[in-house]
Amino acid sequence: MFRRFLSTTTSLRPTVFALSTKLGKSAIAVVRISGPQARYIYHKLTRSTNQPKNRVASVRKLHSTETDKPSILDEALTLYLPGPKTYTGEDMLELHLHGGIAIIRAVMNSIQTLHSPNEGIIIRQADRGEFSRQAFVNGRLDLTELEGINEMINSETEQQRLANLSSSSGKTKLVFKKWRQDILEEIANLTTIIDFGEDHDLAETENLINNVIANIQILESEIKQYLKKVRSLEILLNGIKLTLLGPPNAGKSSILNTLVNKDAAIVSEIAGTTRDALDIPCEIGGFKVVIGDTAGIRMLEQADVIEREGIKRAKERSFLADLVIIVLDPTTAGNTEELKNHLADLIKEKKNILVVLNKQDLYPDKVDAMIDQYSEQLNLTKEFFQVVSCSTGDGMETLQELLVNKFKTLSETDQSDPVLVSSRIQDILENDILYGFNEFYKWAKQDDVVVATDCLTLSVEGIGKITGEYIDLDEILDVVFSNFCIGK
């Protein structure tokens, strides 16, 4: 009677298991099991003769499968999920354990002892990414969704999460699926020329080829725009490079510390405290930002040898930045000629610039006058200026809002939702799909329909590399004959 409930499913497919949470002392730890022996493992660990309730969480005592060990391992939440409607497409079992390292190891060891290849029971620890590989093999997720899930797990900021959500939720898959179908339809049109060319006169054939060329050109433009957008959004992954420039003691380090909300840079009344560039990664408004604090820029003859090198590096860093913030102190009458000359060079290079007038608390009644004065001196319109006080915090919230708006413009997320795809996908778009289009044009213009069709097939196969879905002859024939009338 007892053995009837513990009957196993003999299968050459392995059942794999792994700790799905980080190993370490914690409130809970989740062990995930996937494969044909998932239910068998449940019965052996719980010593229950009753079948687990599908998709219902239940608390069960887990027992050791080794006779020479103490019986009870833990009291855990168990969840049995029958395939195929699971993440992997196979039967799955989740064990939500108490998160002690000894408990985790004891349960994992007990699962491993159930491995018995002579009885057709193959149980082993999962390799890296094996649950996701099962999901792909079983058709639950395509490669774009799986890559999106992995990237979303590794997301550091809100904007990275949103960008990767498009792939992990299947939206990216739909884009590639549409492109794939569009190309297949054009291949089908060309196939009718190859297989039924005698039914068309020359004018019809030429017209059909021209229509295919026009449709592929529209699709090519769409893919290029997509690729351009994706590449511009890589700034979300690498971080927006923001460089702080200004004369010594203007408050660059204070603004840096306020933006990153910690004492990252030394703040001192002594001019020239910062001698080298200091990069601090942080998150501002959901964006990953790398802020560079640099040496104060002043006339080189006033600086020592080390400070001169710092000024040189500060200027070089500003040319590489996505956004340059010029920090000025209107309460001092220091010589800013060196800074003004460098600012003119930045403007020539069309760099994104924002001028922050610091120490507002020292000139509360002269804010507009100061903006007018520096606007004329630096030859910049008033929208380039923001007034703040690091001492009182006035204007800092507005500055952050202004920065976030600039980040949205830089990353092109102000017009549409962010989308990220892997460098692998970008390479295939460029070197397989668009390359196939270019070759198609060349051979189509030479009226070699067969080779031109093969070139479009190369593009479809490129999309197959992206999604894991490959082309077969039946698909093309289905498209060809779907346009035939019934009875033809």
Side-chain angles (χ1 to χ4, degrees), residues 318-319 321 342-353:
S318 65
F319 284 117
H342 181 64
L343 179 57
D345 293 336
L346 292 174
I347 293 173
K348 287 180 184 177
E349 293 294 321
K350 297 181 179 180
K351 302 301 293 184
N352 289 290
I353 296 168

Side-chain angles (χ1 to χ4, degrees), residues 166-199:
S166 180
S167 292
S168 63
S169 64
K171 290 182 180 179
T172 301
K173 176 179 71 174
L174 295 178
V175 172
F176 292 124
K177 185 176 181 180
K178 174 189 174 297
W179 292 344
R180 185 178 190 275
Q181 186 61 33
D182 289 346
I183 302 172
L184 281 176
E185 289 179 3
E186 302 311 323
I187 290 175
N189 289 330
L190 294 176
T191 302
T192 61
I193 298 176
I194 297 170
D195 293 344
F196 309 107
E198 66 276 6
D199 296 332

Side-chain angles (χ1 to χ4, degrees), residues 377-444:
Q377 282 185 12
L378 302 178
N379 196 27
L380 292 172
T381 55
K382 294 180 182 180
E383 60 264 24
F384 284 88
F385 291 83
Q386 173 63 34
V387 181
V388 303
S389 171
C390 292
S391 299
T392 65
D394 289 344
M396 289 304 300
E397 186 174 340
T398 304
L399 175 61
Q400 291 203 5
E401 292 173 358
L402 187 60
L403 290 177
V404 170
N405 288 334
K406 287 187 175 293
F407 297 159
K408 287 179 180 179
T409 302
L410 285 169
S411 61
E412 299 185 12
T413 54
D414 54 339
Q415 302 293 329
S416 59
D417 293 334
V419 177
L420 284 175
V421 296
S422 66
S423 57
R424 179 189 76 89
I425 292 177
Q426 293 178 43
D427 287 343
I428 294 173
L429 286 171
E430 184 76 47
N431 300 320
D432 288 58
I433 300 171
L434 293 179
Y435 172 77
F437 288 172
N438 289 331
E439 290 297 297
F440 159 74
Y441 296 140
K442 181 172 70 177
W443 292 103

Side-chain angles (χ1 to χ4, degrees), residues 15 61 64 113 122 126 175 191 208 227 237 328 356 378 415 483:
T15 296
K61 287 184 172 62
S64 174
T113 60
I122 303 173
V175 172
T191 302
L208 198 154
L227 192 56
L237 287 178
L328 299 174
V356 175
L378 302 178
Q415 302 293 329
N483 295 322

